[in-house]
Amino acid sequence: MKRWDRWRDGLLIGVGLAAGSFAMALTFGATAVHAGLPAFAVVVMSLVTFSGSAQFAFVTALASGGGLVPALGSASLINLRFVPMAAACSQALRGGPWRRAVEAQAVVDGSWAAAQQPDGSVKRDTLIPATLVQWPAWVTGTAIGAYAAPPTTIFYRLGLDVIFPAFFAVLLVDVIRQRPDLRIAMACSGLLTALMLWFLPAGPALLVGATPALLTVRTGRSA
């Protein structure tokens, strides 16, 4: 089977995810510029980071007067979720250390959720092509938002401010559909995260809240 035939479904999935990523990137680019960051720096951030939640956390912390260190800390804490996500994909990656490190860059939220299989494995031919479509959409959207810099109120009027939570909600539903054995663990994680948000910043709260789901995945794989 040719690579195109193997990757076709992943590319098609990536197109759908890229549409949401593009809309979020528009919002991020404009928000970051209005927060005081230069447009070129915002685009570079999307080029090398490609993590919407971490980038929004960085800009939000910086705009609220928290300073560079707290902003970097918030972004880093949120991006720690990629450690267990990448570990779950380790069996799907190929080649030596350098190639595996490059392929691991495809582990982003939408692609990772779409590549989940009922047996707990990750489909490489979905993971990589889906990310290859999303990355240019994220960078392009960021550039347009950063250099056009429309008033952020327009995003609220258009309802784009709800795209970010809706995007993750759709990913959660998709994972639950693929892995029904995780429903209880995910429900516990959601409740625990909501509780922790009363006492902790978003990054640490998400890490604490993810514990039940991570423990369930670990137990299920070691069984």
Side-chain angles (χ1 to χ4, degrees):
M1 184 181 293
K2 295 181 179 180
R3 176 171 295 182
W4 165 253
D5 294 328
R6 299 199 310 267
W7 282 27
R8 180 177 53 195
D9 291 342
L11 290 170
L12 292 175
I13 290 171
V15 170
L17 294 171
S21 296
F22 181 79
M24 286 192 295
L26 287 173
T27 308
F28 169 72
T31 301
V33 168
H34 287 299
L37 294 175
F40 78 90
V42 175
V43 176
V44 170
M45 185 189 300
S46 284
L47 277 168
V48 302
T49 305
F50 187 30
S51 175
S53 53
Q55 290 177 232
F56 271 107
F58 177 86
V59 171
T60 301
L62 206 61
S64 63
L68 182 60
V69 173
L72 289 173
S74 298
S76 298
L77 283 171
I78 289 178
N79 265 0
L80 282 176
R81 73 188 187 280
F82 289 121
V83 175
M85 289 169 63
C89 297
S90 60
Q91 297 300 318
L93 305 180
R94 297 179 183 174
W98 286 106
R99 178 177 174 179
R100 291 170 66 84
V102 171
E103 290 191 359
Q105 303 309 305
V107 181
V108 296
D109 298 303
S111 303
W112 183 83
Q116 293 296 308
Q117 300 296 295
D119 62 357
S121 62
V122 174
K123 189 176 180 181
R124 178 179 179 274
D125 293 339
T126 297
L127 178 74
I128 295 177
T131 299
L132 289 176
V133 179
Q134 291 178 80
W135 181 73
W138 177 256
V139 175
T140 302
T142 299
I144 295 174
Y147 283 101
T152 54
T153 54
I154 193 173
F155 298 113
Y156 293 97
R157 292 173 184 172
L158 295 175
L160 296 182
D161 56 309
V162 302
I163 288 182
F164 201 67
F167 181 78
F168 280 96
V170 170
L171 295 184
L172 178 61
V173 171
D174 191 57
V175 171
I176 292 175
R177 180 177 60 83
Q178 295 286 345
R179 298 287 307 278
D181 56 306
L182 298 180
R183 290 174 182 172
I184 296 177
M186 289 183 177
C188 291
S189 291
L191 292 173
L192 185 57
T193 300
L195 179 63
M196 288 296 100
L197 285 172
W198 286 93
F199 307 102
L200 298 173
L206 288 171
L207 290 176
V208 173
T211 302
L214 293 175
L215 287 176
T216 300
V217 173
R218 179 180 177 84
T219 301
R221 295 210 171 175
S222 62

